[in-house]
Amino acid sequence: MVHKIALVGIGKIAVDQHIPAITNNPDFELSATVSRHASIDGVESYTSLDDMLEKRPDIGIVSLAIPPQPRFDYAVKALRAGRHVMLEKPPGQSLAECYALEKMAQEKGVSLFATWHSRFADSIPAAKDWLKSRTIKRFRITWKEDVRRWHPGQEWIWEPGGLGVFDPGINALSIMTEILPYDVHINAAKLEFPSNRDTPIAAHLAFTNPDNAVMDAVFDWRQEGPQTWDIDIETDQGEMKMSSGGAKLSIDGKSIVEGSDHEYANLYAQMHTLVQNRASDVDLSPMIHVCDAYALGKRITIAEFEF
């Protein structure tokens, strides 16, 4: 069975990732788009989600590739209309919103998928398996990128609910919570806020863990030149490095995975499985870490940052 899907939001992430993943998957048909400013050639387009839901009852899945601030209202409309819903990361601008959507999906008997695309990188299964039988001594996340390159003109990321540097940083947290053999929690954080912004541009997090390992994460949105998305792990039985956001994996200096960009293809394959089984996948552990960072973090005000 081919599932008809509507894509809401036709921005950079939709064009770069969602549309190719949908069109290359034989289990889906991109049947409609919803956007106030953009459309896709050959695909029926709407400027209103309400209009699409009313006129296209045959479309069973709605994928939301819009900023987190308005996402809750869109998801509620789709769920109330009995449609399966796929949420771009982060799944919402607050935990309460996410829990409410999860409950609504259960009541409606439809699938809800809170996606974490970095968890579907090629190296994740091997990294997770390797760590299961080892004691971690040192765990360091280094996630540094240029916000001007990856979010050109996207002012929403600096507004409340936009998460700031945690928008990319939550990708690293989604990997960490997937590959670690146990739960961890933040016990200290420092957040750097430009004086003219409502969300942080940099963060340093420290974690408590059962191995008593030194475990921390550094996020920074001011990186120029080469971009850095690395996780370095030292254990009692060797060292592991994940790079390129999880696409590459090396152990003791030997390359194990030299992955391609299959994350969104894997996401949509998972969405197909969930819909087939009327199941949901709503793991909020990466979001919990972000909320804890805001709750525990020492706020440091720095110079203005012009975007």
Side-chain angles (χ1 to χ4, degrees), residues 93-140:
Q93 62 177 345
S94 74
L95 285 172
E97 287 185 350
C98 299
Y99 286 123
L101 293 177
E102 184 177 23
K103 181 179 180 181
M104 187 175 297
Q106 291 174 347
E107 292 172 346
K108 286 291 184 177
V110 296
S111 297
L112 179 67
F113 186 16
T115 68
W116 302 107
H117 64 81
S118 292
R119 284 186 175 177
F120 288 78
D122 291 341
S123 71
I124 302 301
K128 185 175 183 178
D129 184 65
W130 189 81
L131 282 176
K132 283 193 300 187
S133 59
R134 289 165 170 82
T135 300
I136 297 172
K137 299 168 64 177
R138 182 79 170 87
F139 187 106
R140 160 55 73 93

mmCIF file of all heavy atoms in Angstrom, residues 93-140:
data_model
loop_
_atom_site.group_PDB
_atom_site.id
_atom_site.type_symbol
_atom_site.label_atom_id
_atom_site.label_comp_id
_atom_site.label_asym_id
_atom_site.label_seq_id
_atom_site.Cartn_x
_atom_site.Cartn_y
_atom_site.Cartn_z
ATOM 1 N N GLN A 93 7.994 23.065 21.240
ATOM 2 C CA GLN A 93 8.759 24.076 21.952
ATOM 3 C C GLN A 93 8.721 23.881 23.465
ATOM 4 O O GLN A 93 9.393 24.599 24.201
ATOM 5 C CB GLN A 93 8.258 25.480 21.593
ATOM 6 C CG GLN A 93 6.818 25.763 21.957
ATOM 7 C CD GLN A 93 6.404 27.191 21.642
ATOM 8 O OE1 GLN A 93 7.244 28.057 21.407
ATOM 9 N NE2 GLN A 93 5.102 27.448 21.659
ATOM 10 N N SER A 94 7.971 22.873 23.920
ATOM 11 C CA SER A 94 7.949 22.545 25.349
ATOM 12 C C SER A 94 7.604 21.074 25.521
ATOM 13 O O SER A 94 6.992 20.448 24.644
ATOM 14 C CB SER A 94 6.922 23.410 26.093
ATOM 15 O OG SER A 94 5.605 22.975 25.814
ATOM 16 N N LEU A 95 7.978 20.520 26.664
ATOM 17 C CA LEU A 95 7.638 19.132 26.962
ATOM 18 C C LEU A 95 6.137 18.940 27.098
ATOM 19 O O LEU A 95 5.588 17.921 26.664
ATOM 20 C CB LEU A 95 8.341 18.693 28.246
ATOM 21 C CG LEU A 95 9.839 18.409 28.143
ATOM 22 C CD1 LEU A 95 10.424 18.183 29.532
ATOM 23 C CD2 LEU A 95 10.103 17.196 27.267
ATOM 24 N N ALA A 96 5.468 19.904 27.712
ATOM 25 C CA ALA A 96 4.027 19.777 27.913
ATOM 26 C C ALA A 96 3.296 19.617 26.579
ATOM 27 O O ALA A 96 2.358 18.816 26.460
ATOM 28 C CB ALA A 96 3.492 20.988 28.673
ATOM 29 N N GLU A 97 3.720 20.376 25.567
ATOM 30 C CA GLU A 97 3.118 20.231 24.247
ATOM 31 C C GLU A 97 3.304 18.817 23.708
ATOM 32 O O GLU A 97 2.371 18.216 23.164
ATOM 33 C CB GLU A 97 3.753 21.223 23.273
ATOM 34 C CG GLU A 97 3.345 22.668 23.471
ATOM 35 C CD GLU A 97 3.913 23.578 22.401
ATOM 36 O OE1 GLU A 97 4.782 23.123 21.614
ATOM 37 O OE2 GLU A 97 3.507 24.752 22.344
ATOM 38 N N CYS A 98 4.499 18.295 23.857
ATOM 39 C CA CYS A 98 4.796 16.962 23.320
ATOM 40 C C CYS A 98 3.980 15.880 24.013
ATOM 41 O O CYS A 98 3.450 14.970 23.366
ATOM 42 C CB CYS A 98 6.285 16.676 23.460
ATOM 43 S SG CYS A 98 7.347 17.825 22.570
ATOM 44 N N TYR A 99 3.876 15.972 25.340
ATOM 45 C CA TYR A 99 3.074 14.993 26.071
ATOM 46 C C TYR A 99 1.607 15.084 25.671
ATOM 47 O O TYR A 99 0.913 14.060 25.561
ATOM 48 C CB TYR A 99 3.228 15.201 27.574
ATOM 49 C CG TYR A 99 4.561 14.747 28.129
ATOM 50 C CD1 TYR A 99 5.394 15.619 28.820
ATOM 51 C CD2 TYR A 99 4.991 13.430 27.959
ATOM 52 C CE1 TYR A 99 6.622 15.198 29.328
ATOM 53 C CE2 TYR A 99 6.211 13.000 28.461
ATOM 54 C CZ TYR A 99 7.023 13.896 29.142
ATOM 55 O OH TYR A 99 8.239 13.477 29.632
ATOM 56 N N ALA A 100 1.124 16.288 25.431
ATOM 57 C CA ALA A 100 -0.272 16.466 25.020
ATOM 58 C C ALA A 100 -0.520 15.832 23.654
ATOM 59 O O ALA A 100 -1.556 15.185 23.433
ATOM 60 C CB ALA A 100 -0.627 17.949 24.992
ATOM 61 N N LEU A 101 0.421 15.997 22.729
ATOM 62 C CA LEU A 101 0.274 15.398 21.405
ATOM 63 C C LEU A 101 0.316 13.877 21.477
ATOM 64 O O LEU A 101 -0.442 13.188 20.789
ATOM 65 C CB LEU A 101 1.370 15.905 20.475
ATOM 66 C CG LEU A 101 1.334 17.391 20.106
ATOM 67 C CD1 LEU A 101 2.527 17.746 19.239
ATOM 68 C CD2 LEU A 101 0.038 17.754 19.405
ATOM 69 N N GLU A 102 1.188 13.356 22.318
ATOM 70 C CA GLU A 102 1.276 11.907 22.475
ATOM 71 C C GLU A 102 -0.041 11.333 22.988
ATOM 72 O O GLU A 102 -0.531 10.309 22.483
ATOM 73 C CB GLU A 102 2.418 11.557 23.424
ATOM 74 C CG GLU A 102 2.651 10.065 23.580
ATOM 75 C CD GLU A 102 3.827 9.756 24.477
ATOM 76 O OE1 GLU A 102 4.197 10.616 25.316
ATOM 77 O OE2 GLU A 102 4.383 8.651 24.367
ATOM 78 N N LYS A 103 -0.622 11.998 23.953
ATOM 79 C CA LYS A 103 -1.904 11.540 24.501
ATOM 80 C C LYS A 103 -3.004 11.620 23.452
ATOM 81 O O LYS A 103 -3.829 10.701 23.317
ATOM 82 C CB LYS A 103 -2.273 12.389 25.720
ATOM 83 C CG LYS A 103 -3.581 11.975 26.372
ATOM 84 C CD LYS A 103 -3.887 12.841 27.593
ATOM 85 C CE LYS A 103 -5.201 12.430 28.242
ATOM 86 N NZ LYS A 103 -5.524 13.289 29.413
ATOM 87 N N MET A 104 -3.015 12.688 22.678
ATOM 88 C CA MET A 104 -4.040 12.854 21.645
ATOM 89 C C MET A 104 -3.918 11.776 20.574
ATOM 90 O O MET A 104 -4.937 11.235 20.100
ATOM 91 C CB MET A 104 -3.917 14.241 21.020
ATOM 92 C CG MET A 104 -5.021 14.586 20.049
ATOM 93 S SD MET A 104 -4.885 16.293 19.447
ATOM 94 C CE MET A 104 -5.093 17.182 21.008
ATOM 95 N N ALA A 105 -2.692 11.446 20.175
ATOM 96 C CA ALA A 105 -2.499 10.403 19.173
ATOM 97 C C ALA A 105 -3.011 9.058 19.680
ATOM 98 O O ALA A 105 -3.637 8.293 18.936
ATOM 99 C CB ALA A 105 -1.022 10.304 18.798
ATOM 100 N N GLN A 106 -2.752 8.778 20.957
ATOM 101 C CA GLN A 106 -3.246 7.539 21.544
ATOM 102 C C GLN A 106 -4.768 7.501 21.527
ATOM 103 O O GLN A 106 -5.370 6.472 21.188
ATOM 104 C CB GLN A 106 -2.729 7.411 22.984
ATOM 105 C CG GLN A 106 -1.232 7.173 23.094
ATOM 106 C CD GLN A 106 -0.738 7.208 24.525
ATOM 107 O OE1 GLN A 106 -1.449 7.650 25.435
ATOM 108 N NE2 GLN A 106 0.491 6.760 24.751
ATOM 109 N N GLU A 107 -5.387 8.609 21.874
ATOM 110 C CA GLU A 107 -6.854 8.667 21.906
ATOM 111 C C GLU A 107 -7.460 8.507 20.520
ATOM 112 O O GLU A 107 -8.530 7.915 20.361
ATOM 113 C CB GLU A 107 -7.303 9.980 22.538
ATOM 114 C CG GLU A 107 -6.978 10.087 24.025
ATOM 115 C CD GLU A 107 -7.248 11.470 24.599
ATOM 116 O OE1 GLU A 107 -7.431 12.408 23.782
ATOM 117 O OE2 GLU A 107 -7.262 11.615 25.829
ATOM 118 N N LYS A 108 -6.771 9.031 19.509
ATOM 119 C CA LYS A 108 -7.279 8.969 18.140
ATOM 120 C C LYS A 108 -6.907 7.660 17.438
ATOM 121 O O LYS A 108 -7.418 7.356 16.351
ATOM 122 C CB LYS A 108 -6.741 10.150 17.330
ATOM 123 C CG LYS A 108 -7.396 11.478 17.672
ATOM 124 C CD LYS A 108 -8.840 11.504 17.205
ATOM 125 C CE LYS A 108 -9.500 12.829 17.447
ATOM 126 N NZ LYS A 108 -10.894 12.857 16.930
ATOM 127 N N GLY A 109 -5.980 6.901 18.034
ATOM 128 C CA GLY A 109 -5.566 5.647 17.427
ATOM 129 C C GLY A 109 -4.724 5.827 16.177
ATOM 130 O O GLY A 109 -4.767 4.993 15.269
ATOM 131 N N VAL A 110 -3.952 6.909 16.136
ATOM 132 C CA VAL A 110 -3.085 7.175 14.993
ATOM 133 C C VAL A 110 -1.632 7.219 15.453
ATOM 134 O O VAL A 110 -1.336 7.273 16.645
ATOM 135 C CB VAL A 110 -3.467 8.489 14.292
ATOM 136 C CG1 VAL A 110 -4.869 8.399 13.704
ATOM 137 C CG2 VAL A 110 -3.369 9.676 15.253
ATOM 138 N N SER A 111 -0.729 7.209 14.496
ATOM 139 C CA SER A 111 0.698 7.192 14.793
ATOM 140 C C SER A 111 1.245 8.605 14.936
ATOM 141 O O SER A 111 0.887 9.508 14.165
ATOM 142 C CB SER A 111 1.468 6.471 13.686
ATOM 143 O OG SER A 111 1.072 5.127 13.597
ATOM 144 N N LEU A 112 2.144 8.778 15.915
ATOM 145 C CA LEU A 112 2.871 10.028 16.107
ATOM 146 C C LEU A 112 4.346 9.684 16.176
ATOM 147 O O LEU A 112 4.758 8.835 16.966
ATOM 148 C CB LEU A 112 2.424 10.727 17.392
ATOM 149 C CG LEU A 112 3.133 12.049 17.726
ATOM 150 C CD1 LEU A 112 2.776 13.124 16.699
ATOM 151 C CD2 LEU A 112 2.761 12.520 19.138
ATOM 152 N N PHE A 113 5.137 10.341 15.350
ATOM 153 C CA PHE A 113 6.570 10.074 15.297
ATOM 154 C C PHE A 113 7.327 11.364 15.594
ATOM 155 O O PHE A 113 7.331 12.293 14.804
ATOM 156 C CB PHE A 113 6.939 9.538 13.920
ATOM 157 C CG PHE A 113 8.373 9.094 13.769
ATOM 158 C CD1 PHE A 113 9.192 8.853 14.867
ATOM 159 C CD2 PHE A 113 8.907 8.885 12.502
ATOM 160 C CE1 PHE A 113 10.504 8.427 14.719
ATOM 161 C CE2 PHE A 113 10.214 8.464 12.336
ATOM 162 C CZ PHE A 113 11.014 8.239 13.442
ATOM 163 N N ALA A 114 7.957 11.412 16.776
ATOM 164 C CA ALA A 114 8.829 12.530 17.134
ATOM 165 C C ALA A 114 10.224 12.173 16.626
ATOM 166 O O ALA A 114 10.948 11.399 17.251
ATOM 167 C CB ALA A 114 8.841 12.750 18.643
ATOM 168 N N THR A 115 10.589 12.712 15.487
ATOM 169 C CA THR A 115 11.809 12.262 14.815
ATOM 170 C C THR A 115 13.066 12.907 15.403
ATOM 171 O O THR A 115 13.059 14.071 15.791
ATOM 172 C CB THR A 115 11.763 12.582 13.316
ATOM 173 O OG1 THR A 115 11.813 14.007 13.125
ATOM 174 C CG2 THR A 115 10.495 12.039 12.673
ATOM 175 N N TRP A 116 14.108 12.101 15.450
ATOM 176 C CA TRP A 116 15.461 12.576 15.783
ATOM 177 C C TRP A 116 16.357 12.065 14.664
ATOM 178 O O TRP A 116 16.843 10.934 14.713
ATOM 179 C CB TRP A 116 15.909 12.035 17.139
ATOM 180 C CG TRP A 116 14.995 12.405 18.268
ATOM 181 C CD1 TRP A 116 14.129 11.578 18.927
ATOM 182 C CD2 TRP A 116 14.855 13.697 18.869
ATOM 183 N NE1 TRP A 116 13.453 12.277 19.909
ATOM 184 C CE2 TRP A 116 13.883 13.589 19.894
ATOM 185 C CE3 TRP A 116 15.456 14.945 18.649
ATOM 186 C CZ2 TRP A 116 13.494 14.671 20.689
ATOM 187 C CZ3 TRP A 116 15.073 16.023 19.432
ATOM 188 C CH2 TRP A 116 14.115 15.869 20.440
ATOM 189 N N HIS A 117 16.558 12.870 13.636
ATOM 190 C CA HIS A 117 17.200 12.357 12.428
ATOM 191 C C HIS A 117 18.619 11.853 12.673
ATOM 192 O O HIS A 117 19.061 10.892 12.031
ATOM 193 C CB HIS A 117 17.173 13.402 11.308
ATOM 194 C CG HIS A 117 17.943 14.650 11.592
ATOM 195 N ND1 HIS A 117 19.304 14.740 11.436
ATOM 196 C CD2 HIS A 117 17.535 15.882 12.003
ATOM 197 C CE1 HIS A 117 19.702 15.967 11.729
ATOM 198 N NE2 HIS A 117 18.660 16.674 12.087
ATOM 199 N N SER A 118 19.341 12.457 13.634
ATOM 200 C CA SER A 118 20.721 12.024 13.868
ATOM 201 C C SER A 118 20.795 10.609 14.436
ATOM 202 O O SER A 118 21.825 9.934 14.306
ATOM 203 C CB SER A 118 21.433 13.004 14.802
ATOM 204 O OG SER A 118 21.616 14.256 14.168
ATOM 205 N N ARG A 119 19.725 10.147 15.069
ATOM 206 C CA ARG A 119 19.698 8.772 15.563
ATOM 207 C C ARG A 119 19.666 7.755 14.425
ATOM 208 O O ARG A 119 19.914 6.568 14.645
ATOM 209 C CB ARG A 119 18.472 8.547 16.450
ATOM 210 C CG ARG A 119 18.590 9.132 17.823
ATOM 211 C CD ARG A 119 17.400 8.733 18.658
ATOM 212 N NE ARG A 119 17.542 9.180 20.032
ATOM 213 C CZ ARG A 119 16.620 9.022 20.963
ATOM 214 N NH1 ARG A 119 15.483 8.413 20.653
ATOM 215 N NH2 ARG A 119 16.825 9.451 22.197
ATOM 216 N N PHE A 120 19.349 8.215 13.235
ATOM 217 C CA PHE A 120 19.226 7.314 12.100
ATOM 218 C C PHE A 120 20.437 7.402 11.176
ATOM 219 O O PHE A 120 20.390 6.935 10.045
ATOM 220 C CB PHE A 120 17.924 7.601 11.350
ATOM 221 C CG PHE A 120 16.703 7.149 12.100
ATOM 222 C CD1 PHE A 120 16.192 7.899 13.154
ATOM 223 C CD2 PHE A 120 16.088 5.946 11.785
ATOM 224 C CE1 PHE A 120 15.075 7.470 13.864
ATOM 225 C CE2 PHE A 120 14.977 5.509 12.494
ATOM 226 C CZ PHE A 120 14.468 6.271 13.539
ATOM 227 N N ALA A 121 21.522 7.997 11.693
ATOM 228 C CA ALA A 121 22.783 8.015 10.955
ATOM 229 C C ALA A 121 23.359 6.604 10.871
ATOM 230 O O ALA A 121 23.065 5.733 11.701
ATOM 231 C CB ALA A 121 23.770 8.962 11.631
ATOM 232 N N ASP A 122 24.206 6.392 9.894
ATOM 233 C CA ASP A 122 24.685 5.041 9.596
ATOM 234 C C ASP A 122 25.481 4.399 10.733
ATOM 235 O O ASP A 122 25.503 3.174 10.870
ATOM 236 C CB ASP A 122 25.552 5.068 8.330
ATOM 237 C CG ASP A 122 24.736 5.351 7.079
ATOM 238 O OD1 ASP A 122 23.509 5.169 7.131
ATOM 239 O OD2 ASP A 122 25.324 5.746 6.062
ATOM 240 N N SER A 123 26.167 5.215 11.539
ATOM 241 C CA SER A 123 27.063 4.641 12.544
ATOM 242 C C SER A 123 26.380 4.259 13.852
ATOM 243 O O SER A 123 26.990 3.598 14.694
ATOM 244 C CB SER A 123 28.183 5.641 12.858
ATOM 245 O OG SER A 123 27.668 6.748 13.581
ATOM 246 N N ILE A 124 25.136 4.655 14.041
ATOM 247 C CA ILE A 124 24.493 4.515 15.353
ATOM 248 C C ILE A 124 24.414 3.062 15.831
ATOM 249 O O ILE A 124 24.789 2.764 16.973
ATOM 250 C CB ILE A 124 23.106 5.173 15.356
ATOM 251 C CG1 ILE A 124 23.203 6.658 14.975
ATOM 252 C CG2 ILE A 124 22.436 5.015 16.711
ATOM 253 C CD1 ILE A 124 24.090 7.483 15.884
ATOM 254 N N PRO A 125 23.929 2.115 15.037
ATOM 255 C CA PRO A 125 23.832 0.734 15.556
ATOM 256 C C PRO A 125 25.169 0.165 16.004
ATOM 257 O O PRO A 125 25.259 -0.471 17.062
ATOM 258 C CB PRO A 125 23.253 -0.040 14.362
ATOM 259 C CG PRO A 125 22.522 0.977 13.551
ATOM 260 C CD PRO A 125 23.346 2.219 13.675
ATOM 261 N N ALA A 126 26.234 0.392 15.227
ATOM 262 C CA ALA A 126 27.542 -0.149 15.589
ATOM 263 C C ALA A 126 28.085 0.514 16.846
ATOM 264 O O ALA A 126 28.678 -0.150 17.705
ATOM 265 C CB ALA A 126 28.521 0.038 14.427
ATOM 266 N N ALA A 127 27.890 1.827 16.974
ATOM 267 C CA ALA A 127 28.366 2.537 18.163
ATOM 268 C C ALA A 127 27.640 2.052 19.409
ATOM 269 O O ALA A 127 28.259 1.815 20.462
ATOM 270 C CB ALA A 127 28.164 4.042 17.981
ATOM 271 N N LYS A 128 26.349 1.881 19.298
ATOM 272 C CA LYS A 128 25.546 1.420 20.432
ATOM 273 C C LYS A 128 25.967 0.024 20.864
ATOM 274 O O LYS A 128 26.117 -0.261 22.065
ATOM 275 C CB LYS A 128 24.071 1.441 20.042
ATOM 276 C CG LYS A 128 23.107 1.093 21.150
ATOM 277 C CD LYS A 128 21.663 1.272 20.677
ATOM 278 C CE LYS A 128 20.673 0.986 21.794
ATOM 279 N NZ LYS A 128 19.267 1.211 21.342
ATOM 280 N N ASP A 129 26.193 -0.850 19.907
ATOM 281 C CA ASP A 129 26.585 -2.226 20.220
ATOM 282 C C ASP A 129 27.970 -2.268 20.870
ATOM 283 O O ASP A 129 28.194 -3.031 21.816
ATOM 284 C CB ASP A 129 26.565 -3.053 18.939
ATOM 285 C CG ASP A 129 26.859 -4.525 19.192
ATOM 286 O OD1 ASP A 129 26.044 -5.178 19.868
ATOM 287 O OD2 ASP A 129 27.914 -5.007 18.735
ATOM 288 N N TRP A 130 28.907 -1.446 20.383
ATOM 289 C CA TRP A 130 30.269 -1.444 20.906
ATOM 290 C C TRP A 130 30.314 -0.976 22.352
ATOM 291 O O TRP A 130 31.091 -1.487 23.161
ATOM 292 C CB TRP A 130 31.139 -0.544 20.027
ATOM 293 C CG TRP A 130 32.607 -0.614 20.320
ATOM 294 C CD1 TRP A 130 33.487 -1.565 19.887
ATOM 295 C CD2 TRP A 130 33.377 0.304 21.100
ATOM 296 N NE1 TRP A 130 34.755 -1.290 20.338
ATOM 297 C CE2 TRP A 130 34.724 -0.148 21.094
ATOM 298 C CE3 TRP A 130 33.078 1.468 21.800
ATOM 299 C CZ2 TRP A 130 35.741 0.523 21.752
ATOM 300 C CZ3 TRP A 130 34.088 2.140 22.463
ATOM 301 C CH2 TRP A 130 35.408 1.670 22.440
ATOM 302 N N LEU A 131 29.459 -0.020 22.701
ATOM 303 C CA LEU A 131 29.483 0.544 24.056
ATOM 304 C C LEU A 131 28.845 -0.369 25.098
ATOM 305 O O LEU A 131 29.115 -0.226 26.296
ATOM 306 C CB LEU A 131 28.772 1.895 24.075
ATOM 307 C CG LEU A 131 29.552 3.095 23.538
ATOM 308 C CD1 LEU A 131 28.672 4.334 23.524
ATOM 309 C CD2 LEU A 131 30.805 3.349 24.370
ATOM 310 N N LYS A 132 28.027 -1.319 24.684
ATOM 311 C CA LYS A 132 27.264 -2.133 25.632
ATOM 312 C C LYS A 132 28.140 -2.879 26.625
ATOM 313 O O LYS A 132 27.760 -3.061 27.784
ATOM 314 C CB LYS A 132 26.379 -3.137 24.865
ATOM 315 C CG LYS A 132 25.144 -2.538 24.255
ATOM 316 C CD LYS A 132 24.172 -3.605 23.784
ATOM 317 C CE LYS A 132 24.763 -4.506 22.752
ATOM 318 N NZ LYS A 132 23.748 -5.437 22.166
ATOM 319 N N SER A 133 29.315 -3.323 26.181
ATOM 320 C CA SER A 133 30.156 -4.168 27.036
ATOM 321 C C SER A 133 31.378 -3.429 27.571
ATOM 322 O O SER A 133 32.346 -4.070 28.002
ATOM 323 C CB SER A 133 30.608 -5.397 26.237
ATOM 324 O OG SER A 133 31.343 -5.003 25.089
ATOM 325 N N ARG A 134 31.343 -2.096 27.582
ATOM 326 C CA ARG A 134 32.506 -1.323 27.998
ATOM 327 C C ARG A 134 32.150 -0.306 29.085
ATOM 328 O O ARG A 134 31.010 0.137 29.176
ATOM 329 C CB ARG A 134 33.124 -0.620 26.783
ATOM 330 C CG ARG A 134 33.819 -1.591 25.849
ATOM 331 C CD ARG A 134 34.113 -1.012 24.488
ATOM 332 N NE ARG A 134 34.979 -1.921 23.730
ATOM 333 C CZ ARG A 134 34.544 -2.972 23.064
ATOM 334 N NH1 ARG A 134 33.250 -3.263 23.068
ATOM 335 N NH2 ARG A 134 35.392 -3.747 22.415
ATOM 336 N N THR A 135 33.154 0.042 29.868
ATOM 337 C CA THR A 135 32.998 1.080 30.889
ATOM 338 C C THR A 135 33.547 2.389 30.331
ATOM 339 O O THR A 135 34.698 2.457 29.900
ATOM 340 C CB THR A 135 33.759 0.709 32.168
ATOM 341 O OG1 THR A 135 33.243 -0.521 32.683
ATOM 342 C CG2 THR A 135 33.618 1.804 33.224
ATOM 343 N N ILE A 136 32.717 3.405 30.346
ATOM 344 C CA ILE A 136 33.114 4.701 29.794
ATOM 345 C C ILE A 136 33.937 5.474 30.818
ATOM 346 O O ILE A 136 33.569 5.585 31.983
ATOM 347 C CB ILE A 136 31.868 5.510 29.385
ATOM 348 C CG1 ILE A 136 31.107 4.779 28.281
ATOM 349 C CG2 ILE A 136 32.267 6.914 28.918
ATOM 350 C CD1 ILE A 136 29.767 5.399 27.939
ATOM 351 N N LYS A 137 35.054 6.005 30.355
ATOM 352 C CA LYS A 137 35.923 6.821 31.206
ATOM 353 C C LYS A 137 35.834 8.306 30.844
ATOM 354 O O LYS A 137 35.965 9.170 31.705
ATOM 355 C CB LYS A 137 37.374 6.333 31.072
ATOM 356 C CG LYS A 137 37.566 4.886 31.510
ATOM 357 C CD LYS A 137 38.921 4.338 31.112
ATOM 358 C CE LYS A 137 40.055 5.073 31.810
ATOM 359 N NZ LYS A 137 41.380 4.458 31.455
ATOM 360 N N ARG A 138 35.638 8.595 29.583
ATOM 361 C CA ARG A 138 35.541 9.977 29.113
ATOM 362 C C ARG A 138 34.588 10.044 27.945
ATOM 363 O O ARG A 138 34.660 9.216 27.028
ATOM 364 C CB ARG A 138 36.925 10.490 28.673
ATOM 365 C CG ARG A 138 36.945 11.946 28.204
ATOM 366 C CD ARG A 138 36.935 12.878 29.416
ATOM 367 N NE ARG A 138 37.181 14.269 29.040
ATOM 368 C CZ ARG A 138 36.242 15.131 28.656
ATOM 369 N NH1 ARG A 138 34.978 14.722 28.566
ATOM 370 N NH2 ARG A 138 36.537 16.377 28.382
ATOM 371 N N PHE A 139 33.667 11.011 27.984
ATOM 372 C CA PHE A 139 32.675 11.178 26.926
ATOM 373 C C PHE A 139 32.573 12.671 26.628
ATOM 374 O O PHE A 139 32.203 13.452 27.500
ATOM 375 C CB PHE A 139 31.317 10.626 27.387
ATOM 376 C CG PHE A 139 30.249 10.575 26.332
ATOM 377 C CD1 PHE A 139 29.866 9.372 25.764
ATOM 378 C CD2 PHE A 139 29.596 11.731 25.909
ATOM 379 C CE1 PHE A 139 28.874 9.311 24.798
ATOM 380 C CE2 PHE A 139 28.599 11.685 24.958
ATOM 381 C CZ PHE A 139 28.234 10.473 24.398
ATOM 382 N N ARG A 140 32.918 13.063 25.410
ATOM 383 C CA ARG A 140 32.908 14.491 25.072
ATOM 384 C C ARG A 140 32.179 14.718 23.747
ATOM 385 O O ARG A 140 32.499 14.104 22.737
ATOM 386 C CB ARG A 140 34.342 15.005 24.999
ATOM 387 C CG ARG A 140 34.597 16.290 24.222
ATOM 388 C CD ARG A 140 33.781 17.511 24.641
ATOM 389 N NE ARG A 140 34.144 18.131 25.887
ATOM 390 C CZ ARG A 140 35.008 19.155 26.004
ATOM 391 N NH1 ARG A 140 35.640 19.624 24.951
ATOM 392 N NH2 ARG A 140 35.216 19.712 27.180
#
